[in-house]
Amino acid sequence: MAIIGELIKKAIDFTDKLVKQPDPVEAQKEVLVSLLTEAANTDFGKHYNFESILNSADVAKAFAEGIPVFDYDRLFKEWWHRVVDGEDDVTWPGSTHYLALSSGTTSHSKTIPVTDEMLAAIRRSGMQQVAALANFNLPAEFFEKQILMLGSSTDLKDIKGHLAGEISGISASNIPFWFRGYYKPGKEIANISDFDERIKEIAKQAPNWDIGSLSGIPAWIELMLKEIIKQHNLKNIHELWPNLAVYTTGGVAFDPYKKSFEKLLAHPLVYIDTYLASEGFLAMQKRPHTSAMSLVVDNGIYFEFVPFEDKNITSEGAIVEGAEVLTLADVEEEQEYVLLISTVSGAWRYMIGDTIMFTDKSRYEIKITGRTKQFLNVAGSQLSVLQMNKAIQDMEDAYDTAIQEFVVATIHRGDELIDRWYISTDKDLDKAAVAKALDQNLKDNNKNYAVARTRALKDVEVETVPVEFFHKWSEENKKLGGQVKIPRVMKEEQFLEWEDFVKKHRA
């Protein structure tokens, strides 16, 4: 009998029943007032007169009217560069000890302040996620097993007196003492900067661990499992870790990876999705039978939502001045929104770059539908990453193949505009047939795409490449690591560079 595991499971069950779920709208009002109160005497708070906003009859309305929308470039240029330079009380009170480095999928590298309050909020959200495990009917033995978290290196570097690294590395370097006995690969291995070297050391030590849960971005978790299986001559990972039962994913949609991922297992796992960005822990899956995630509404992050419509968004993915902005009380299901956040790290009305859709407003559950700069709309097709992922899954089923990665761009072929896709596959496919099937699938499921195909968008082409090409491209661009996401949509200039890369490696 797993006595300790049974006690932990009962404690989690008890906590889940004891903790009352907050009213999301009221919780968000309280978070906004708390943020404004805490930051009222910062330079940002004085500049935008937070005291006046707090004294307004409608704080949310005054906040939206009194403070502009910021993207990363504007917030860094006007305010956050001072935080990096070591100034205190700029956008959040006190000193900022950490900087999250994000390579991004749609733009240049970012340097994002991470306050002690944000780290505490991330830990609290992590505990919410642990409590939600009560809903997944896991056996008591599971709660005695170890958790392997494959993030970026915990070897943080010094930038002007700040400790800097990717958010997963920062979080792992601050895990609570009581969790360290469960945490793998452990401090020494997690501190290895070189990703390939870290994976090899994990594979070497893997037989010494009893892993019950994995956490990390799908592509890199899969690389790790393949290395372990190869190094120990296994048929699947369950031969080594028979108690592996849960995979906590995040950062990108898991569905495109599921088919290839499950080839490495003896049986499927419980899959739990999370939304941990460099800017904070935004949402988590709290119940089975859905991949939707509940927004974290009561823990240092205030959310606003801009309807993802032409009148509100420029062709470059920016929010137009005077765009319609909604609070949580006003959102609707099945409508896509650009997400704005204000946080205990001093982000204010910050466009994080993701688009989301509410699937269940009563539970404030969302799905990430894409990136503001990763919608394919050059020819008016208005394709979201969510729709692309679904079409690729359908191609997997139709052709009985695993497609872990893909990238697409609308490019010129002479004077015509066409969509060209590169997909990874483990089979020799008829590219023309796949292109035709993919094209028809998108026509059937997106009326804007169907119209575009009768007008500006003249053709669809598909090229196939080994999945390793995507990993090599990522590595050569110095983006191989725990938090990095391979872009699904590229602009023509970047896409042509990708094609040159493919040609070079095929030669």
PDB file of all heavy atoms in Angstrom, residues 422 465 469 497-507:
ATOM      1  N   TYR A 422       5.692  23.230 -45.628  1.00  0.00           N
ATOM      2  CA  TYR A 422       6.697  22.201 -45.360  1.00  0.00           C
ATOM      3  C   TYR A 422       6.217  21.403 -44.157  1.00  0.00           C
ATOM      4  O   TYR A 422       5.927  21.980 -43.096  1.00  0.00           O
ATOM      5  CB  TYR A 422       8.059  22.816 -45.057  1.00  0.00           C
ATOM      6  CG  TYR A 422       8.841  23.199 -46.282  1.00  0.00           C
ATOM      7  CD1 TYR A 422       8.541  24.359 -46.985  1.00  0.00           C
ATOM      8  CD2 TYR A 422       9.882  22.394 -46.760  1.00  0.00           C
ATOM      9  CE1 TYR A 422       9.245  24.716 -48.123  1.00  0.00           C
ATOM     10  CE2 TYR A 422      10.598  22.743 -47.898  1.00  0.00           C
ATOM     11  CZ  TYR A 422      10.278  23.900 -48.574  1.00  0.00           C
ATOM     12  OH  TYR A 422      10.984  24.252 -49.710  1.00  0.00           O
ATOM     13  N   VAL A 465       9.821  17.103 -45.417  1.00  0.00           N
ATOM     14  CA  VAL A 465      11.202  17.066 -44.915  1.00  0.00           C
ATOM     15  C   VAL A 465      11.232  16.220 -43.655  1.00  0.00           C
ATOM     16  O   VAL A 465      10.213  16.095 -42.959  1.00  0.00           O
ATOM     17  CB  VAL A 465      11.739  18.478 -44.606  1.00  0.00           C
ATOM     18  CG1 VAL A 465      11.917  19.307 -45.869  1.00  0.00           C
ATOM     19  CG2 VAL A 465      10.847  19.195 -43.613  1.00  0.00           C
ATOM     20  N   PHE A 469      15.114  18.326 -39.701  1.00  0.00           N
ATOM     21  CA  PHE A 469      15.409  19.602 -40.345  1.00  0.00           C
ATOM     22  C   PHE A 469      14.911  20.765 -39.491  1.00  0.00           C
ATOM     23  O   PHE A 469      15.571  21.802 -39.395  1.00  0.00           O
ATOM     24  CB  PHE A 469      14.767  19.661 -41.737  1.00  0.00           C
ATOM     25  CG  PHE A 469      15.566  18.986 -42.810  1.00  0.00           C
ATOM     26  CD1 PHE A 469      16.241  17.807 -42.562  1.00  0.00           C
ATOM     27  CD2 PHE A 469      15.642  19.526 -44.081  1.00  0.00           C
ATOM     28  CE1 PHE A 469      16.971  17.166 -43.548  1.00  0.00           C
ATOM     29  CE2 PHE A 469      16.374  18.908 -45.085  1.00  0.00           C
ATOM     30  CZ  PHE A 469      17.042  17.718 -44.817  1.00  0.00           C
ATOM     31  N   GLU A 497      14.514  32.136 -46.539  1.00  0.00           N
ATOM     32  CA  GLU A 497      15.732  31.732 -45.817  1.00  0.00           C
ATOM     33  C   GLU A 497      15.597  30.287 -45.344  1.00  0.00           C
ATOM     34  O   GLU A 497      16.567  29.518 -45.369  1.00  0.00           O
ATOM     35  CB  GLU A 497      15.961  32.657 -44.623  1.00  0.00           C
ATOM     36  CG  GLU A 497      16.329  34.085 -45.016  1.00  0.00           C
ATOM     37  CD  GLU A 497      16.434  34.998 -43.802  1.00  0.00           C
ATOM     38  OE1 GLU A 497      16.212  34.510 -42.670  1.00  0.00           O
ATOM     39  OE2 GLU A 497      16.727  36.197 -43.982  1.00  0.00           O
ATOM     40  N   TRP A 498      14.404  29.915 -44.885  1.00  0.00           N
ATOM     41  CA  TRP A 498      14.137  28.533 -44.488  1.00  0.00           C
ATOM     42  C   TRP A 498      14.348  27.594 -45.677  1.00  0.00           C
ATOM     43  O   TRP A 498      14.963  26.537 -45.550  1.00  0.00           O
ATOM     44  CB  TRP A 498      12.727  28.411 -43.923  1.00  0.00           C
ATOM     45  CG  TRP A 498      12.117  27.039 -44.003  1.00  0.00           C
ATOM     46  CD1 TRP A 498      11.208  26.593 -44.906  1.00  0.00           C
ATOM     47  CD2 TRP A 498      12.395  25.919 -43.145  1.00  0.00           C
ATOM     48  NE1 TRP A 498      10.890  25.290 -44.680  1.00  0.00           N
ATOM     49  CE2 TRP A 498      11.595  24.838 -43.601  1.00  0.00           C
ATOM     50  CE3 TRP A 498      13.213  25.722 -42.044  1.00  0.00           C
ATOM     51  CZ2 TRP A 498      11.605  23.593 -42.982  1.00  0.00           C
ATOM     52  CZ3 TRP A 498      13.229  24.469 -41.427  1.00  0.00           C
ATOM     53  CH2 TRP A 498      12.440  23.429 -41.892  1.00  0.00           C
ATOM     54  N   GLU A 499      13.841  27.964 -46.835  1.00  0.00           N
ATOM     55  CA  GLU A 499      13.994  27.118 -48.017  1.00  0.00           C
ATOM     56  C   GLU A 499      15.463  26.972 -48.411  1.00  0.00           C
ATOM     57  O   GLU A 499      15.897  25.888 -48.819  1.00  0.00           O
ATOM     58  CB  GLU A 499      13.184  27.687 -49.180  1.00  0.00           C
ATOM     59  CG  GLU A 499      11.681  27.571 -48.963  1.00  0.00           C
ATOM     60  CD  GLU A 499      10.885  27.607 -50.258  1.00  0.00           C
ATOM     61  OE1 GLU A 499      11.103  28.554 -51.045  1.00  0.00           O
ATOM     62  OE2 GLU A 499      10.078  26.694 -50.489  1.00  0.00           O
ATOM     63  N   ASP A 500      16.240  28.044 -48.283  1.00  0.00           N
ATOM     64  CA  ASP A 500      17.681  27.950 -48.550  1.00  0.00           C
ATOM     65  C   ASP A 500      18.338  26.976 -47.581  1.00  0.00           C
ATOM     66  O   ASP A 500      19.226  26.194 -47.960  1.00  0.00           O
ATOM     67  CB  ASP A 500      18.332  29.331 -48.430  1.00  0.00           C
ATOM     68  CG  ASP A 500      17.971  30.248 -49.589  1.00  0.00           C
ATOM     69  OD1 ASP A 500      17.552  29.737 -50.646  1.00  0.00           O
ATOM     70  OD2 ASP A 500      18.118  31.478 -49.441  1.00  0.00           O
ATOM     71  N   PHE A 501      17.900  27.024 -46.314  1.00  0.00           N
ATOM     72  CA  PHE A 501      18.421  26.107 -45.298  1.00  0.00           C
ATOM     73  C   PHE A 501      18.110  24.661 -45.685  1.00  0.00           C
ATOM     74  O   PHE A 501      18.961  23.773 -45.595  1.00  0.00           O
ATOM     75  CB  PHE A 501      17.802  26.456 -43.943  1.00  0.00           C
ATOM     76  CG  PHE A 501      18.014  25.427 -42.875  1.00  0.00           C
ATOM     77  CD1 PHE A 501      19.167  25.427 -42.113  1.00  0.00           C
ATOM     78  CD2 PHE A 501      17.056  24.448 -42.639  1.00  0.00           C
ATOM     79  CE1 PHE A 501      19.358  24.466 -41.129  1.00  0.00           C
ATOM     80  CE2 PHE A 501      17.238  23.489 -41.658  1.00  0.00           C
ATOM     81  CZ  PHE A 501      18.396  23.497 -40.899  1.00  0.00           C
ATOM     82  N   VAL A 502      16.869  24.404 -46.119  1.00  0.00           N
ATOM     83  CA  VAL A 502      16.470  23.050 -46.508  1.00  0.00           C
ATOM     84  C   VAL A 502      17.298  22.553 -47.690  1.00  0.00           C
ATOM     85  O   VAL A 502      17.785  21.422 -47.704  1.00  0.00           O
ATOM     86  CB  VAL A 502      14.965  23.002 -46.842  1.00  0.00           C
ATOM     87  CG1 VAL A 502      14.578  21.662 -47.472  1.00  0.00           C
ATOM     88  CG2 VAL A 502      14.124  23.256 -45.585  1.00  0.00           C
ATOM     89  N   LYS A 503      17.473  23.411 -48.685  1.00  0.00           N
ATOM     90  CA  LYS A 503      18.263  23.034 -49.862  1.00  0.00           C
ATOM     91  C   LYS A 503      19.695  22.694 -49.480  1.00  0.00           C
ATOM     92  O   LYS A 503      20.288  21.736 -49.979  1.00  0.00           O
ATOM     93  CB  LYS A 503      18.247  24.176 -50.880  1.00  0.00           C
ATOM     94  CG  LYS A 503      16.889  24.377 -51.561  1.00  0.00           C
ATOM     95  CD  LYS A 503      16.906  25.616 -52.453  1.00  0.00           C
ATOM     96  CE  LYS A 503      15.525  25.876 -53.031  1.00  0.00           C
ATOM     97  NZ  LYS A 503      15.481  27.145 -53.814  1.00  0.00           N
ATOM     98  N   LYS A 504      20.274  23.477 -48.589  1.00  0.00           N
ATOM     99  CA  LYS A 504      21.643  23.249 -48.165  1.00  0.00           C
ATOM    100  C   LYS A 504      21.793  21.906 -47.467  1.00  0.00           C
ATOM    101  O   LYS A 504      22.761  21.174 -47.693  1.00  0.00           O
ATOM    102  CB  LYS A 504      22.076  24.384 -47.219  1.00  0.00           C
ATOM    103  CG  LYS A 504      23.523  24.258 -46.734  1.00  0.00           C
ATOM    104  CD  LYS A 504      23.902  25.424 -45.827  1.00  0.00           C
ATOM    105  CE  LYS A 504      23.253  25.277 -44.468  1.00  0.00           C
ATOM    106  NZ  LYS A 504      23.713  26.309 -43.505  1.00  0.00           N
ATOM    107  N   HIS A 505      20.815  21.537 -46.630  1.00  0.00           N
ATOM    108  CA  HIS A 505      20.918  20.299 -45.877  1.00  0.00           C
ATOM    109  C   HIS A 505      20.462  19.076 -46.678  1.00  0.00           C
ATOM    110  O   HIS A 505      20.754  17.943 -46.288  1.00  0.00           O
ATOM    111  CB  HIS A 505      20.105  20.409 -44.586  1.00  0.00           C
ATOM    112  CG  HIS A 505      20.789  21.217 -43.529  1.00  0.00           C
ATOM    113  ND1 HIS A 505      20.809  22.578 -43.530  1.00  0.00           N
ATOM    114  CD2 HIS A 505      21.520  20.840 -42.439  1.00  0.00           C
ATOM    115  CE1 HIS A 505      21.498  23.029 -42.503  1.00  0.00           C
ATOM    116  NE2 HIS A 505      21.931  22.000 -41.830  1.00  0.00           N
ATOM    117  N   ARG A 506      19.775  19.320 -47.770  1.00  0.00           N
ATOM    118  CA  ARG A 506      19.434  18.200 -48.649  1.00  0.00           C
ATOM    119  C   ARG A 506      20.578  17.869 -49.607  1.00  0.00           C
ATOM    120  O   ARG A 506      20.633  16.789 -50.163  1.00  0.00           O
ATOM    121  CB  ARG A 506      18.178  18.555 -49.457  1.00  0.00           C
ATOM    122  CG  ARG A 506      16.881  18.222 -48.743  1.00  0.00           C
ATOM    123  CD  ARG A 506      15.695  18.601 -49.567  1.00  0.00           C
ATOM    124  NE  ARG A 506      14.455  18.051 -49.014  1.00  0.00           N
ATOM    125  CZ  ARG A 506      13.249  18.455 -49.371  1.00  0.00           C
ATOM    126  NH1 ARG A 506      13.107  19.418 -50.263  1.00  0.00           N
ATOM    127  NH2 ARG A 506      12.171  17.898 -48.814  1.00  0.00           N
ATOM    128  N   ALA A 507      21.428  18.838 -49.819  1.00  0.00           N
ATOM    129  CA  ALA A 507      22.508  18.660 -50.814  1.00  0.00           C
ATOM    130  C   ALA A 507      23.491  17.591 -50.381  1.00  0.00           C
ATOM    131  O   ALA A 507      23.753  17.397 -49.199  1.00  0.00           O
ATOM    132  CB  ALA A 507      23.221  19.998 -51.009  1.00  0.00           C
TER     133      ALA A 507
END
